[in-house]
Amino acid sequence: MTASNPRQLSIQDFTYPLPPECIAPEPLPDRAASRLLVSKQGTISDKGFRDLPSELPAGALLIFNNTRVVHARLLARRPTGGQVELFCLEPVAPHRSLELALQHAGQCTWRCLVGNGRRWKEGPVTLAFETADGQAATLWAERRVQEAGTALIDFRWEPATLPFAEVLRAGGHLPLPPYLGRPDTANDAVRYQTVYAATEGAVAAPTAGLHFTPELLAELPQKGFSIGHITLHIGAGTFQPVKADRMGDHPMHTEPILVTAPLLRQLLDHRPRPVVAVGTTSLRTLESLYWLGVTLLQAQNAAASPLAHPTGELLVNQWQPYELVDVAATISPEAALTALLAHLEAVGTDTLQASTQLLIAPGYQFRLVDGLITNFHQPESTLLLLVAALLGPDWRAVYDHALANGYRFLSYGDSSLLLPSSAV
């Protein structure tokens, strides 16, 4: 099977009516009490999320995204008292690495979205807050450069010994999806994180994982399933609407990923048994691993450096799978994973740091993933394109069934287990 190029796809072919009353405004009191729509080879059934272990392919490896959502919304005040919202998108200085930037103390520069900024002419805006141990703290923010809908914001704070991660934790707000249309609450601080969240850096939750409880996670190995973790720090681009009619005119957002050598070995040893991604971000990361391996093997053959990202990281670009069909036909998933492990050994690290701009749309051929656990996504979104790539035309029957049978949609909504023929 060869991949066709989705540049000519019209996003208007991937829409459906989503009444506001179908969007879940709040999480259920019990994480695992959500419903589970199961689609196996086109056959749909209605289950509860606690039924998941009995519905998974035998011996499956489940891959979870362990990113943790940061409190990326800062509500500062102008000297006259007016509020300015700063939504931290990505670090710029002194570190572009997210992990290093969050641990930097005293001052830093980030690219931000600015809300209510028209009357913010010059000078700093301020935010007073208390640290976790009750210390009074102050953050000052000054706009340096405005460009393409975002601004470079210089931050400084006292006490200057605080890492920026603590500034965000203590002074910021969770960036709930804009379609919820409400401020975050104390309940969101717990429920808009997965129970296995570990690595700070996301501005949106990997919502497929919100249904898992510690008890359900403990049950999976008892039932013969394996578990692995990757990290993709979800950016604000996940909410970016597709404004272009043709996908060829839509710039896919770029997100950082971190994958350990033990996880790569786990994937390699597990083949050819099924792999189920918990969420679209886990799926996107896993499929990106294949293309990163292809990039390395291509570079070896050409005696060229594979480092293609401005930060020096490996990068999967938006159209790579559709442009390298002939090359990929000669490279197995095992070869790609082996190349990544060899690269890590050569550079003397145990963690692969890379970036992905991968667009998965109908015509994409999956290399590492056989099934997907995911919520129900917005019409005309790249996440819906990913589901359509996995299920083919059956995606519409899944969404029609969910709408007709009262499933709750989007981030705090119900779940689905999507298993095309290859996974069953």
Side-chain angles (χ1 to χ4, degrees):
M1 175 182 176
T2 59
S4 59
N5 198 313
R7 281 186 172 91
Q8 299 304 319
L9 287 177
S10 171
I11 194 62
Q12 294 174 6
D13 292 333
F14 299 89
T15 191
Y16 65 91
L18 179 58
E21 60 270 20
C22 292
I23 300 173
E26 306 278 349
L28 296 174
D30 176 3
R31 287 179 184 267
S34 57
R35 299 174 69 192
L36 178 70
L37 183 154
V38 179
S39 175
K40 291 184 179 180
Q41 294 180 295
T43 299
I44 296 172
S45 58
D46 301 305
K47 304 289 181 178
F49 198 78
R50 284 191 172 86
D51 297 321
L52 178 68
S54 63
E55 299 297 326
L56 289 166
L61 167 61
L62 276 70
I63 301 296
F64 295 80
N65 181 4
N66 66 4
T67 188
R68 186 171 187 85
V69 184
V70 295
H71 291 211
R73 291 177 60 242
L74 296 164
L75 305 180
R77 294 285 176 182
R78 303 194 310 272
T80 56
Q83 181 174 277
V84 173
E85 178 179 335
L86 303 173
F87 190 150
C88 297
L89 298 177
E90 61 180 1
V92 175
H95 305 289
R96 298 190 70 92
S97 162
L98 190 57
E99 286 71 27
L100 292 176
L102 288 172
Q103 293 309 310
H104 194 76
Q107 60 185 17
C108 60
T109 301
W110 280 61
R111 185 178 305 281
C112 299
L113 292 173
V114 179
N116 294 335
R118 289 186 178 179
R119 295 185 180 180
W120 181 19
K121 300 302 181 185
E122 58 183 22
V125 294
T126 59
L127 170 64
F129 61 97
E130 282 191 0
T131 64
D133 58 1
Q135 291 185 76
T138 304
L139 172 74
W140 294 269
E142 193 152 5
R143 182 164 47 190
R144 178 152 57 93
V145 178
Q146 184 82 34
E147 55 183 45
T150 64
L152 297 187
I153 304 294
D154 291 331
F155 293 108
R156 59 184 177 88
W157 57 90
E158 292 287 347
T161 54
L162 292 176
F164 193 56
E166 178 58 26
V167 172
L168 294 178
R169 273 194 292 269
H173 292 262
L174 275 175
L176 290 182
Y179 49 71
L180 290 182
R182 63 173 178 82
D184 61 312
T185 66
N187 187 42
D188 293 314
V190 176
R191 295 301 307 279
Y192 198 61
Q193 300 279 12
T194 62
V195 298
Y196 50 85
T199 307
E200 287 190 312
V203 300
T207 55
L210 296 180
H211 309 281
F212 285 87
T213 62
E215 295 76 16
L216 188 51
L217 288 171
E219 183 183 345
L220 290 171
Q222 297 170 6
K223 296 289 181 68
F225 302 107
S226 303
I227 289 175
H229 293 93
I230 53 82
T231 305
L232 181 145
H233 290 312
I234 307 166
T238 194
F239 301 122
Q240 179 183 348
V242 179
K243 297 179 180 178
D245 182 57
R246 292 169 59 257
M247 290 310 300
D249 298 323
H250 175 73
M252 192 67 179
H253 56 285
T254 303
E255 291 168 318
I257 61 177
L258 295 94
V259 179
T260 65
L263 187 279
L264 294 173
R265 295 189 193 99
Q266 185 179 18
L267 288 169
L268 196 54
D269 293 343
H270 189 77
R271 294 194 60 81
R273 290 168 290 170
V275 172
V276 176
V278 179
T280 57
T281 58
S282 294
L283 186 151
R284 194 167 178 237
T285 302
L286 288 167
E287 291 298 312
S288 294
L289 291 178
Y290 173 79
W291 294 105
L292 291 168
V294 169
T295 298
L296 287 166
L297 290 169
Q298 274 191 299
Q300 289 176 14
N301 293 335
S305 170
L307 301 179
H309 191 277
T311 63
E313 295 176 354
L314 285 164
L315 168 70
V316 180
N317 70 47
Q318 179 170 349
W319 304 112
Q320 186 174 345
Y322 312 101
E323 295 168 345
L324 297 179
V325 173
D326 292 338
V327 173
T330 66
I331 299 175
S332 68
E334 290 84 355
L337 293 171
T338 301
L340 289 172
L341 283 165
H343 171 73
L344 293 184
E345 185 175 355
V347 298
T349 181
D350 203 41
T351 301
L352 173 71
Q353 298 190 42
S355 297
T356 184
Q357 194 187 18
L358 179 61
L359 170 67
I360 297 178
Y364 181 85
Q365 181 181 347
F366 291 85
R367 263 74 180 193
L368 291 174
V369 174
D370 302 285
L372 174 66
I373 298 166
T374 189
N375 288 14
F376 297 96
H377 305 292
Q378 287 182 295
E380 299 185 9
S381 65
T382 56
L383 301 181
L384 188 58
L385 283 176
L386 184 153
V387 170
L390 184 69
L391 293 184
D394 288 345
W395 78 265
R396 194 171 290 279
V398 165
Y399 275 69
D400 287 346
H401 181 94
L403 287 165
N405 289 274
Y407 280 77
R408 301 161 72 247
F409 276 58
L410 305 187
S411 293
Y412 276 143
D414 292 316
S415 185
S416 65
L417 171 62
L418 308 178
L419 300 171
S421 57
S422 62
V424 180

